[in-house]
Amino acid sequence: MIMNLATLAWRNIRTRRARSWLTILGMLIGVMAIVTLISIGTGVENAVLQQFEDVGLDVVLLVPKESTFSPSASQIAGEDAIGELRQITGEFSESPESQSSLIGLDDDSTGSEHATGVDLKRLQGDVPEITEAGQIATTVLDLSAGDVSGFVRVMIPSWDLVDRFPGLLGGFAISQGRGFAAASDRGVVLGARAASLTGTTVGDTVTIDGHQLTVIGILEPSRESQVGVNENMVTGRGAEAFRSLSNTDDAAIILQDQAQKLWPNFTMSSIVAIRIRTGVSVTDTIVRINDAVARQGVFMTPVSTQALADNVQRTLGMVKVVLASIAAISLLVGAIGMMNTMYTSVLERTREIGILKSVGAKDRHVLCLFLIDSGLMGLTGGVLGLGLGMGASFLGTRLLGDLIGVTSFLPFFAPWLLLGAIALSFVLGALAGVWPAWHAARLDPVNALAAD
Amino acid sequence: MISLLGVEKTYQRGANQVHALRGLDLEIASSEFTIIMGPSGSGKSTLLHLVGCLDTPSAGQILFEGTDLVQLSSTQRAEFRRRRIGFIFQRFNQIPNLSAQENVELPLLLSGAPRRQAHEQARSALRQVGLAERSSHRPSELSGGELQRVTVARALVNNPDAILADEPTGNLDMETGDQVISMLRHLKDEGRACIVVTHNPELAIPGDSLVYVRDGKRVDSLFREEKGRH
């Protein structure tokens, strides 16, 4: 019986094409908006969280309390400073001082004198939950390679950091040459963009702050440059440090042992990466680390990647809720439009309802007929909206990536989203038809037949 | 056998009550061709609606082959209409967006018949009224006579016990009207009760049962005698 009523409803939709399509359009736009916004939002969330997972959710960063790691540090060091390397003339567009102060890692940085003093062995002794630790410092120094010169962000990790925390360095995947093999390894590894802009390859010599270094390897583009933790998503010292470290594309990386020999009197603000034992409470361990660091008289603060990830997830979750709410409003408007159409349809089809009743349609048949009618229109809008929404999501990730803070990722279509969008469109469509259908079902057949 | 005993029907029109039927008694035998005549507003269409279970009386009893129609619920009345009654209206009452075939299929689809079976039965009914070749046409593409034949096909498709026709020739020319009436008489011959409401006394022929209604009451059934006097 339901199939027969569905047949009758479909015949009606089919024969009132213009009105049906306009009604469907309202639902289509609503579903499309929901699918697009949620799938893009979830895609961004997944991509960003994956980055944290790559680093490890059991990692705690010790960052200088007064660190002036700027959210735009990587952009400044990368796009402007390195961009200057394009200048073959060798002339600087800005003074070294201005570059350093922008990044905030020069010797005069407020927190620098405190940040360098962490005794990692003592820290590990004080907090046995720490399984491994590494250290990294960052600064900006002048670089020249052939005719090209300018400034480069120099990352100086300890061997432990490179070996144990490669995720923190954007994966530290080598595309040419080799990576570091031991703490005493010499030479420099260049980020993909730095190598490209300076035109250097493996085996070339570059001069950094007057010291000649051999390029032993060139990195793959780091994950951070593809899916970054944008400053709009999360703020705070830990996030800034995370952003600054995980983008290695514009960096020159030199191991700590070699750097200490090259610049014995150079004091740099550093960050400590700590991995804690599986199963222990991150929150409790952070408290203990904080106490231990304070006892050493070092002015640093611990931030867990888990906390950063939670922060990002919370922020993105809120954004998703807001976007989904806006989309839901458009869906609601579509449903109200459908209700309006269905009610108008009942008024227009009063005589038809009388005819149906005269040939034996029960009240519930008429009710079902109109519910199926509106449900089918909702479903059609839902299916089309889902398809278009998926298309728009892929398009949106390409066109809007920069705008929302990420440049390359895929939208994520959760099964619940796909099934939910279709089910919701049918249910919402049917609900929009409830009142008109109830009105139709209750029509007196004699009066309905007398209608014009 | 259809029996109406003291049937009354009162409509509320705003503050006023309109008495459409006032204690009407009537008996209609199966296989009888009954013509109900009367002036406009006399209550003849109301009578047809009550017998066809489209409406319920305010008082009285209507028995259809022993079934008291007054006692039926709304759902049972719909079921009764679908299985035992075929309606033919002056305005044809076809659903404009459906083809002739689809219009005729309606009662079957509402009975829950499989679509293929409904399709075949509807086609057969259309063939019976000589419209098989017009089955895919919409009402707007059919003439008045063809529309009324589609209505007859729809009324027949569920093989009902009674055909109730309300001014079936009212919108037709004389020749087409005669064709339709002839079709209805043929149905009577198949053992169905045919009740036709009309203004046209020319439709009656000897052997028909004539019911004259005025002011909601059956006045007499002397049409044949009056006709005989002329």
Side-chain angles (χ1 to χ4, degrees):
Chain A
M1 173 56 78
I2 290 289
M3 284 309 294
N4 287 349
L5 292 173
T7 303
L8 291 174
W10 182 251
R11 283 174 183 168
N12 177 58
I13 291 172
R14 192 192 57 198
T15 52
R16 294 166 194 265
R17 285 201 181 113
R19 171 166 291 183
S20 299
W21 276 114
L22 286 173
T23 310
I24 287 168
L25 193 63
M27 191 61 74
L28 184 154
I29 291 170
V31 171
M32 184 178 148
I34 283 190
V35 169
T36 306
L37 294 174
I38 292 184
S39 64
I40 287 180
T42 311
V44 171
E45 189 178 21
N46 288 351
V48 171
L49 292 178
Q50 182 60 49
Q51 192 185 345
F52 283 106
E53 282 175 20
D54 288 348
V55 170
L57 293 173
D58 52 354
V59 170
V60 173
L61 295 182
L62 266 179
V63 295
K65 280 187 178 171
E66 297 297 323
S67 167
T68 51
F69 266 101
S70 162
S72 57
S74 61
Q75 292 172 357
I76 293 162
E79 290 160 23
D80 294 345
I82 294 295
E84 289 303 318
L85 291 171
R86 295 177 202 264
Q87 310 284 328
I88 309 293
T89 61
E91 290 177 6
F92 303 124
S93 63
E94 293 181 53
S95 68
E97 289 73 22
S98 70
Q99 287 291 347
S100 288
S101 63
L102 275 170
I103 297 169
L105 291 175
D106 70 331
D107 297 0
D108 298 330
S109 175
T110 317
S112 62
E113 59 187 316
H114 304 283
T116 54
V118 184
D119 182 341
L120 287 182
K121 283 188 180 170
R122 185 177 156 200
L123 181 64
Q124 281 179 280
D126 288 348
V127 186
E129 288 86 354
I130 296 175
T131 57
E132 51 199 10
Q135 205 164 12
I136 185 168
T138 311
T139 189
V140 174
L141 296 170
D142 62 281
L143 175 146
S144 61
D147 295 334
V148 182
S149 66
F151 298 96
V152 70
R153 190 161 58 106
V154 178
M155 299 174 88
I156 305 172
S158 66
W159 163 246
D160 287 340
L161 191 126
V162 175
D163 188 39
R164 305 292 183 185
F165 302 89
L168 203 57
L169 295 172
F172 205 72
I174 300 291
S175 71
Q176 292 174 44
R178 63 176 181 85
F180 299 112
S184 57
D185 218 347
R186 304 286 168 194
V188 61
V189 172
L190 292 179
R193 194 158 175 261
S196 161
L197 291 175
T198 54
T200 50
T201 57
V202 175
D204 288 353
T205 301
V206 294
T207 305
I208 297 176
D209 195 33
H211 300 284
Q212 289 199 328
L213 295 161
T214 305
V215 177
I216 61 166
I218 294 170
L219 294 174
E220 296 272 8
S222 59
R223 284 183 59 87
E224 202 281 336
S225 64
Q226 297 165 24
V227 184
V229 183
N230 189 273
E231 58 266 33
N232 297 325
M233 293 177 196
V234 61
T235 56
R237 274 184 211 97
E240 289 161 15
F242 191 87
R243 279 199 292 275
S244 174
L245 295 182
S246 54
N247 184 354
T248 53
D249 288 352
D250 306 312
I253 301 165
I254 302 165
L255 279 184
Q256 200 177 51
D257 284 8
Q258 186 184 11
Q260 279 169 352
K261 287 170 187 158
L262 295 174
W263 299 287
N265 300 316
F266 203 86
T267 309
M268 286 175 283
S269 174
S270 70
I271 294 167
V272 176
I274 292 167
R275 178 163 283 120
I276 57 174
R277 200 167 54 232
T278 311
V280 300
S281 161
V282 175
T283 313
D284 292 348
T285 308
I286 282 181
V287 171
R288 298 186 63 183
I289 291 170
N290 201 31
D291 292 344
V293 167
R295 278 198 298 276
Q296 289 188 27
V298 177
F299 208 47
M300 296 181 91
T301 186
V303 182
S304 75
T305 49
Q306 178 69 64
L308 286 175
D310 290 346
N311 201 358
V312 170
Q313 198 163 21
R314 205 163 32 247
T315 307
L316 289 174
M318 280 192 298
V319 171
K320 261 195 335 185
V321 168
V322 170
L323 292 176
S325 303
I326 293 167
I329 289 170
S330 71
L331 195 63
L332 190 65
V333 170
I336 291 170
M338 185 173 283
M339 188 185 284
N340 179 42
T341 306
M342 290 306 297
Y343 189 68
T344 310
S345 177
V346 168
L347 294 180
E348 284 179 354
R349 295 168 65 192
T350 300
R351 201 152 137 248
E352 280 184 42
I353 294 163
I355 295 168
L356 286 171
K357 289 198 165 187
S358 74
V359 298
K362 297 173 184 173
D363 289 358
R364 66 181 166 86
H365 289 153
V366 176
L367 184 81
C368 282
L369 189 65
F370 276 84
L371 286 181
I372 293 172
D373 195 334
S374 61
L376 275 178
M377 281 198 282
L379 186 66
T380 308
V383 170
L384 293 177
L386 181 66
L388 289 173
M390 290 173 82
S393 301
F394 282 108
L395 196 67
T397 53
R398 286 187 176 274
L399 298 181
L400 302 176
D402 289 332
L403 210 65
I404 61 175
V406 289
T407 53
S408 173
F409 69 101
L410 289 175
F412 181 75
F413 303 102
W416 65 263
L417 177 66
L418 305 183
L419 295 175
I422 290 175
L424 181 70
S425 56
F426 180 76
V427 170
L428 212 55
L431 282 177
V434 166
W435 181 56
W438 182 79
H439 181 81
R442 287 176 55 86
L443 282 175
D444 174 67
V446 174
N447 290 335
L449 280 169
D452 287 328
Chain B
M1 172 74 78
I2 302 167
S3 306
L4 287 85
L5 306 168
V7 171
E8 293 182 15
K9 181 65 186 177
T10 306
Y11 295 108
Q12 197 71 36
R13 294 279 181 266
N16 302 322
Q17 284 194 328
V18 178
H19 299 282
L21 292 178
R22 303 165 189 256
L24 188 133
D25 297 316
L26 179 65
E27 284 202 348
I28 298 167
S30 306
S31 305
E32 195 169 49
F33 198 87
T34 304
I35 293 180
I36 300 173
M37 293 184 67
S40 293
S42 59
K44 52 191 190 300
S45 289
T46 300
L47 170 59
L48 207 66
H49 293 155
L50 294 177
V51 173
C53 264
L54 277 175
D55 208 349
T56 50
S58 308
Q61 198 176 28
I62 304 173
L63 298 172
F64 191 106
E65 306 287 354
T67 304
D68 187 353
L69 302 186
V70 179
Q71 301 303 320
L72 299 181
S73 67
S74 165
T75 303
Q76 287 170 325
R77 284 203 304 276
E79 188 81 24
F80 178 84
R81 286 196 295 272
R82 195 167 66 233
R83 296 196 184 284
R84 308 193 69 174
I85 301 290
F87 278 104
I88 297 169
F89 301 97
Q90 180 181 1
R91 294 166 71 184
F92 315 129
N93 281 344
Q94 301 293 326
I95 293 181
N97 297 315
L98 301 182
S99 67
Q101 168 85 29
E102 289 167 342
N103 266 292
V104 177
E105 281 176 18
L106 275 177
L108 298 166
L109 292 176
L110 290 168
S111 302
R115 274 195 290 173
R116 177 170 291 187
Q117 183 191 327
H119 189 79
E120 283 168 8
Q121 275 183 250
R123 198 156 185 81
S124 164
L126 281 168
R127 202 176 298 119
Q128 208 175 329
V129 297
L131 278 178
E133 75 286 357
R134 306 281 277 165
S135 62
S136 61
H137 290 246
R138 296 235 174 118
S140 59
E141 299 163 339
L142 299 172
S143 68
E146 287 172 329
L147 279 172
Q148 200 58 299
R149 279 148 70 193
V150 174
T151 312
V152 171
R154 188 178 66 193
L156 283 177
V157 77
N158 258 355
N159 195 24
D161 297 323
I163 300 287
L164 309 183
D166 193 355
E167 298 282 4
T169 60
N171 281 343
L172 304 177
D173 59 59
M174 192 177 289
E175 190 184 343
T176 314
D178 286 346
Q179 286 174 4
V180 170
I181 290 297
S182 160
M183 234 175 252
L184 295 180
R185 288 191 187 285
H186 179 67
L187 296 177
K188 182 217 65 162
D189 295 340
E190 289 176 352
R192 294 182 179 91
C194 273
I195 305 173
V196 178
V197 164
T198 183
H199 280 106
N200 183 6
E202 301 291 324
L203 295 184
I205 59 167
D208 291 349
S209 167
L210 187 69
V211 177
Y212 192 71
V213 181
R214 176 180 285 162
D215 294 332
K217 290 178 183 171
R218 182 173 182 184
V219 182
D220 57 48
S221 58
L222 302 175
F223 178 73
R224 208 168 288 120
E225 290 172 18
E226 286 171 0
K227 202 177 178 183
R229 284 181 202 145
H230 295 293

